[in-house]
PDB file of all heavy atoms in Angstrom:
ATOM      1  N   TYR A 391      -4.234  13.401  29.920  1.00 98.00           N
ATOM      2  CA  TYR A 391      -3.228  14.334  30.702  1.00 98.00           C
ATOM      3  C   TYR A 391      -3.794  14.891  31.947  1.00 98.00           C
ATOM      4  O   TYR A 391      -3.141  15.506  32.774  1.00 98.00           O
ATOM      5  CB  TYR A 391      -2.734  15.445  29.835  1.00 98.00           C
ATOM      6  CG  TYR A 391      -2.044  15.190  28.570  1.00 98.00           C
ATOM      7  CD1 TYR A 391      -2.080  16.060  27.513  1.00 98.00           C
ATOM      8  CD2 TYR A 391      -1.329  13.941  28.315  1.00 98.00           C
ATOM      9  CE1 TYR A 391      -1.549  15.795  26.211  1.00 98.00           C
ATOM     10  CE2 TYR A 391      -0.757  13.734  27.200  1.00 98.00           C
ATOM     11  CZ  TYR A 391      -0.820  14.687  26.075  1.00 98.00           C
ATOM     12  OH  TYR A 391      -0.127  14.397  24.873  1.00 98.00           O
ATOM     13  N   ARG A 392      -5.071  14.682  32.169  1.00 96.00           N
ATOM     14  CA  ARG A 392      -5.684  15.511  33.218  1.00 96.00           C
ATOM     15  C   ARG A 392      -5.415  15.023  34.626  1.00 96.00           C
ATOM     16  O   ARG A 392      -5.347  15.787  35.521  1.00 96.00           O
ATOM     17  CB  ARG A 392      -7.192  15.561  32.983  1.00 96.00           C
ATOM     18  CG  ARG A 392      -7.512  16.312  31.759  1.00 96.00           C
ATOM     19  CD  ARG A 392      -8.981  16.746  31.622  1.00 96.00           C
ATOM     20  NE  ARG A 392      -9.145  17.361  30.256  1.00 96.00           N
ATOM     21  CZ  ARG A 392     -10.341  17.511  29.726  1.00 96.00           C
ATOM     22  NH1 ARG A 392     -11.370  17.358  30.289  1.00 96.00           N
ATOM     23  NH2 ARG A 392     -10.445  17.924  28.430  1.00 96.00           N
ATOM     24  N   THR A 393      -5.226  13.762  34.850  1.00 96.00           N
ATOM     25  CA  THR A 393      -4.854  13.284  36.060  1.00 96.00           C
ATOM     26  C   THR A 393      -3.625  12.332  36.026  1.00 96.00           C
ATOM     27  O   THR A 393      -3.698  11.103  36.204  1.00 96.00           O
ATOM     28  CB  THR A 393      -6.004  12.476  36.731  1.00 96.00           C
ATOM     29  OG1 THR A 393      -7.272  12.913  36.345  1.00 96.00           O
ATOM     30  CG2 THR A 393      -6.020  12.281  38.162  1.00 96.00           C
ATOM     31  N   PRO A 394      -2.509  12.893  35.767  1.00 97.00           N
ATOM     32  CA  PRO A 394      -1.318  12.093  35.656  1.00 97.00           C
ATOM     33  C   PRO A 394      -0.880  11.508  37.062  1.00 97.00           C
ATOM     34  O   PRO A 394      -1.350  11.995  38.050  1.00 97.00           O
ATOM     35  CB  PRO A 394      -0.325  13.022  35.061  1.00 97.00           C
ATOM     36  CG  PRO A 394      -0.729  14.395  35.400  1.00 97.00           C
ATOM     37  CD  PRO A 394      -2.206  14.264  35.529  1.00 97.00           C
ATOM     38  N   ASP A 395      -0.026  10.506  37.011  1.00 97.00           N
ATOM     39  CA  ASP A 395       0.534  10.099  38.241  1.00 97.00           C
ATOM     40  C   ASP A 395       1.685  11.069  38.606  1.00 97.00           C
ATOM     41  O   ASP A 395       2.798  10.964  38.007  1.00 97.00           O
ATOM     42  CB  ASP A 395       1.187   8.598  38.031  1.00 97.00           C
ATOM     43  CG  ASP A 395       1.796   8.125  39.235  1.00 97.00           C
ATOM     44  OD1 ASP A 395       2.215   8.864  40.187  1.00 97.00           O
ATOM     45  OD2 ASP A 395       2.100   6.831  39.250  1.00 97.00           O
ATOM     46  N   PHE A 396       1.367  11.918  39.306  1.00 97.00           N
ATOM     47  CA  PHE A 396       2.246  13.152  39.699  1.00 97.00           C
ATOM     48  C   PHE A 396       3.589  12.690  40.253  1.00 97.00           C
ATOM     49  O   PHE A 396       4.648  13.280  40.059  1.00 97.00           O
ATOM     50  CB  PHE A 396       1.629  14.318  40.515  1.00 97.00           C
ATOM     51  CG  PHE A 396       0.624  15.121  39.717  1.00 97.00           C
ATOM     52  CD1 PHE A 396      -0.768  15.180  40.010  1.00 97.00           C
ATOM     53  CD2 PHE A 396       0.964  15.887  38.677  1.00 97.00           C
ATOM     54  CE1 PHE A 396      -1.592  15.814  39.333  1.00 97.00           C
ATOM     55  CE2 PHE A 396       0.181  16.726  37.999  1.00 97.00           C
ATOM     56  CZ  PHE A 396      -1.252  16.679  38.301  1.00 97.00           C
ATOM     57  N   ALA A 397       3.462  11.632  41.180  1.00 97.00           N
ATOM     58  CA  ALA A 397       4.773  11.283  41.813  1.00 97.00           C
ATOM     59  C   ALA A 397       5.585  10.621  40.715  1.00 97.00           C
ATOM     60  O   ALA A 397       6.861  10.871  40.645  1.00 97.00           O
ATOM     61  CB  ALA A 397       4.381  10.143  42.892  1.00 97.00           C
ATOM     62  N   ARG A 398       5.073   9.931  39.766  1.00 98.00           N
ATOM     63  CA  ARG A 398       5.909   9.264  38.687  1.00 98.00           C
ATOM     64  C   ARG A 398       6.493  10.367  37.816  1.00 98.00           C
ATOM     65  O   ARG A 398       7.602  10.337  37.400  1.00 98.00           O
ATOM     66  CB  ARG A 398       4.967   8.339  37.893  1.00 98.00           C
ATOM     67  CG  ARG A 398       5.865   7.729  36.751  1.00 98.00           C
ATOM     68  CD  ARG A 398       4.917   6.626  35.956  1.00 98.00           C
ATOM     69  NE  ARG A 398       5.635   6.235  34.807  1.00 98.00           N
ATOM     70  CZ  ARG A 398       5.148   5.698  33.652  1.00 98.00           C
ATOM     71  NH1 ARG A 398       3.801   5.406  33.789  1.00 98.00           N
ATOM     72  NH2 ARG A 398       5.849   5.467  32.798  1.00 98.00           N
ATOM     73  N   LEU A 399       5.566  11.344  37.481  1.00 98.00           N
ATOM     74  CA  LEU A 399       6.014  12.518  36.707  1.00 98.00           C
ATOM     75  C   LEU A 399       7.273  13.137  37.339  1.00 98.00           C
ATOM     76  O   LEU A 399       8.253  13.481  36.663  1.00 98.00           O
ATOM     77  CB  LEU A 399       4.845  13.424  36.462  1.00 98.00           C
ATOM     78  CG  LEU A 399       5.081  14.674  35.587  1.00 98.00           C
ATOM     79  CD1 LEU A 399       5.434  14.247  34.124  1.00 98.00           C
ATOM     80  CD2 LEU A 399       3.850  15.538  35.560  1.00 98.00           C
ATOM     81  N   ARG A 400       7.128  13.420  38.612  1.00 97.00           N
ATOM     82  CA  ARG A 400       8.125  14.167  39.329  1.00 97.00           C
ATOM     83  C   ARG A 400       9.463  13.300  39.280  1.00 97.00           C
ATOM     84  O   ARG A 400      10.550  13.804  39.199  1.00 97.00           O
ATOM     85  CB  ARG A 400       7.780  14.306  40.840  1.00 97.00           C
ATOM     86  CG  ARG A 400       7.877  15.744  41.241  1.00 97.00           C
ATOM     87  CD  ARG A 400       7.754  15.912  42.720  1.00 97.00           C
ATOM     88  NE  ARG A 400       9.081  16.218  43.296  1.00 97.00           N
ATOM     89  CZ  ARG A 400       9.417  16.352  44.463  1.00 97.00           C
ATOM     90  NH1 ARG A 400       8.333  16.272  45.410  1.00 97.00           N
ATOM     91  NH2 ARG A 400      10.533  16.538  44.935  1.00 97.00           N
ATOM     92  N   GLY A 401       9.289  12.052  39.440  1.00 97.00           N
ATOM     93  CA  GLY A 401      10.359  11.198  39.370  1.00 97.00           C
ATOM     94  C   GLY A 401      11.186  11.154  38.036  1.00 97.00           C
ATOM     95  O   GLY A 401      12.382  11.037  37.861  1.00 97.00           O
ATOM     96  N   GLU A 402      10.363  11.312  36.967  1.00 98.00           N
ATOM     97  CA  GLU A 402      10.840  11.257  35.615  1.00 98.00           C
ATOM     98  C   GLU A 402      11.665  12.547  35.276  1.00 98.00           C
ATOM     99  O   GLU A 402      12.694  12.574  34.559  1.00 98.00           O
ATOM    100  CB  GLU A 402       9.813  11.154  34.575  1.00 98.00           C
ATOM    101  CG  GLU A 402       9.022   9.757  34.526  1.00 98.00           C
ATOM    102  CD  GLU A 402       9.906   8.686  33.873  1.00 98.00           C
ATOM    103  OE1 GLU A 402      11.178   8.888  33.582  1.00 98.00           O
ATOM    104  OE2 GLU A 402       9.416   7.532  33.751  1.00 98.00           O
ATOM    105  N   MET A 403      11.176  13.682  35.855  1.00 98.00           N
ATOM    106  CA  MET A 403      11.703  14.950  35.434  1.00 98.00           C
ATOM    107  C   MET A 403      12.962  15.346  36.187  1.00 98.00           C
ATOM    108  O   MET A 403      13.121  14.952  37.291  1.00 98.00           O
ATOM    109  CB  MET A 403      10.623  16.158  35.628  1.00 98.00           C
ATOM    110  CG  MET A 403       9.379  15.985  34.831  1.00 98.00           C
ATOM    111  SD  MET A 403       8.115  17.149  35.069  1.00 98.00           S
ATOM    112  CE  MET A 403       8.816  18.611  34.349  1.00 98.00           C
ATOM    113  N   ARG A 404      13.836  16.072  35.453  1.00 98.00           N
ATOM    114  CA  ARG A 404      15.047  16.548  36.094  1.00 98.00           C
ATOM    115  C   ARG A 404      14.729  17.695  37.216  1.00 98.00           C
ATOM    116  O   ARG A 404      15.190  17.701  38.324  1.00 98.00           O
ATOM    117  CB  ARG A 404      16.155  17.071  35.103  1.00 98.00           C
ATOM    118  CG  ARG A 404      17.554  16.929  35.536  1.00 98.00           C
ATOM    119  CD  ARG A 404      18.453  17.321  34.327  1.00 98.00           C
ATOM    120  NE  ARG A 404      18.407  18.715  34.103  1.00 98.00           N
ATOM    121  CZ  ARG A 404      19.078  19.624  34.947  1.00 98.00           C
ATOM    122  NH1 ARG A 404      19.724  19.352  35.839  1.00 98.00           N
ATOM    123  NH2 ARG A 404      18.968  20.948  34.606  1.00 98.00           N
ATOM    124  N   LEU A 405      13.807  18.558  36.709  1.00 98.00           N
ATOM    125  CA  LEU A 405      13.274  19.651  37.521  1.00 98.00           C
ATOM    126  C   LEU A 405      11.816  19.583  37.424  1.00 98.00           C
ATOM    127  O   LEU A 405      11.246  19.551  36.370  1.00 98.00           O
ATOM    128  CB  LEU A 405      13.809  20.963  37.091  1.00 98.00           C
ATOM    129  CG  LEU A 405      15.271  21.354  37.307  1.00 98.00           C
ATOM    130  CD1 LEU A 405      15.503  22.725  36.747  1.00 98.00           C
ATOM    131  CD2 LEU A 405      15.624  21.393  38.693  1.00 98.00           C
ATOM    132  N   PRO A 406      11.085  19.657  38.596  1.00 98.00           N
ATOM    133  CA  PRO A 406       9.678  19.500  38.569  1.00 98.00           C
ATOM    134  C   PRO A 406       8.970  20.863  38.353  1.00 98.00           C
ATOM    135  O   PRO A 406       8.406  21.465  39.164  1.00 98.00           O
ATOM    136  CB  PRO A 406       9.273  18.965  39.990  1.00 98.00           C
ATOM    137  CG  PRO A 406      10.438  19.551  40.837  1.00 98.00           C
ATOM    138  CD  PRO A 406      11.647  19.694  40.024  1.00 98.00           C
ATOM    139  N   VAL A 407       9.137  21.416  37.027  1.00 98.00           N
ATOM    140  CA  VAL A 407       8.491  22.624  36.746  1.00 98.00           C
ATOM    141  C   VAL A 407       7.561  22.422  35.543  1.00 98.00           C
ATOM    142  O   VAL A 407       7.773  21.757  34.626  1.00 98.00           O
ATOM    143  CB  VAL A 407       9.674  23.604  36.124  1.00 98.00           C
ATOM    144  CG1 VAL A 407       9.022  24.964  35.887  1.00 98.00           C
ATOM    145  CG2 VAL A 407      10.762  23.760  37.147  1.00 98.00           C
TER     146      VAL A 407
END
Side-chain angles (χ1 to χ4, degrees):
Y391 299 151
R392 292 194 192 171
T393 322
D395 178 342
F396 284 116
R398 180 174 170 202
L399 182 61
R400 233 194 106 179
E402 292 285 6
M403 296 177 72
R404 207 173 71 80
L405 290 176
V407 185

